[in-house]
């Protein structure tokens, strides 16, 4: 169960107390509280009119995978800023990954896949997962490795574990 960090107390604390008092059972085994995505260190909000809409980014031609990579660049539990720079970095990252995955061969992917899974299993550490894929992509683009299955394996990893389809 989860929600924004601002709901942890008193909303979730009271929700636990009421639910467990009524049922006598544990309300939830896992709790996740996300940080806020900010603009200039100010929480995005409708009242401030500082929202960035995915629909507008898509209308500008931004690939959904790049948007996800921009969000994943910060840990879900921490507050983080969204900016043109964050988006530009994500777009560039997606292009590098795509170029690496279009190669005929690359650095063997088995260790990277294992480490990305470990990062995501460690409190959904997406920044670490992205950095691991960056290393694989950069080494592959430098011509290291001759594993013909690596590009397809990494494309599948990026799509299935991050939902950041490259194409």
């Amino acid at each position: 169960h989860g929600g924004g960090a601002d709901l942890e107390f008193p909303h979730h604390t009271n929700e636990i107390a009421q639910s467990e008092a009524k049922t006598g059972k544990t309300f939830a085994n896992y709790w996740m509280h996300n940080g806020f995505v900010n603009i200039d260190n100010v929480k995005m909000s409708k009242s401030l009119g500082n929202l960035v809409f995915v629909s507008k980014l898509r209308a500008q031609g931004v690939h959904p995978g790049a948007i996800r990579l921009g969000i994943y660049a910060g840990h879900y539990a921490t507050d983080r800023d969204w900016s043109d720079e964050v988006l530009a970095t994500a777009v560039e990252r997606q292009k590098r990954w795509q170029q690496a995955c279009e190669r005929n061969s690359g650095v063997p992917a088995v260790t990277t896949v294992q480490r990305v899974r470990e990062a995501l299993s460690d409190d959904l550490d997406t920044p670490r997962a992205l950095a691991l894929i960056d290393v694989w992509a950069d080494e592959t683009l430098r011509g290291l490795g001759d594993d013909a299955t690596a590009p397809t394996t990494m494309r599948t990893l990026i799509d299935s574990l991050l939902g950041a389809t490259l194409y």
Side-chain angles (χ1 to χ4, degrees), residues 16-123:
I16 292 167
Q18 293 167 3
S19 299
E20 292 184 0
K22 171 71 175 163
T23 66
K25 298 178 183 175
T26 300
F27 180 68
N29 291 320
Y30 301 98
W31 289 84
M32 294 179 76
H33 294 94
N34 61 279
F36 300 117
V37 180
N38 302 318
I39 300 283
D40 297 325
N41 293 316
V42 176
K43 177 183 162 188
M44 279 195 222
S45 69
K46 191 165 41 169
S47 62
L48 293 175
N50 65 346
L51 300 174
V52 175
F53 291 96
V54 170
S55 59
K56 288 185 179 178
L57 293 173
R58 292 289 297 126
Q60 295 167 6
V62 179
H63 190 281
I67 298 168
R68 286 188 179 105
L69 293 178
I71 295 292
Y72 296 161
H75 192 273
Y76 80 90
T78 62
D79 291 351
R80 56 209 178 275
D81 256 10
W82 181 265
S83 66
D84 290 340
E85 182 179 323
V86 167
L87 181 58
T89 299
V91 167
E92 188 275 329
R93 171 178 268 148
Q94 184 191 34
K95 285 180 184 173
R96 268 193 357 268
W97 290 6
Q98 183 169 338
Q99 290 168 350
C101 289
E102 287 173 345
R103 306 278 299 226
N104 291 327
S105 63
V107 174
V110 174
T111 301
T112 302
V113 169
Q114 177 185 347
R115 288 180 179 161
V116 168
R117 286 182 176 157
E118 289 169 359
L120 295 176
S121 294
D122 182 12
D123 196 26

Side-chain angles (χ1 to χ4, degrees), residues 116-152:
V116 168
R117 286 182 176 157
E118 289 169 359
L120 295 176
S121 294
D122 182 12
D123 196 26
L124 203 57
D125 191 348
T126 55
R128 189 170 89 203
L130 300 186
L132 290 163
I133 299 169
D134 283 341
V135 169
W136 176 86
D138 292 342
E139 290 177 353
T140 294
L141 290 171
R142 284 198 311 268
L144 304 177
D146 59 1
D147 183 343
T149 65
T152 300

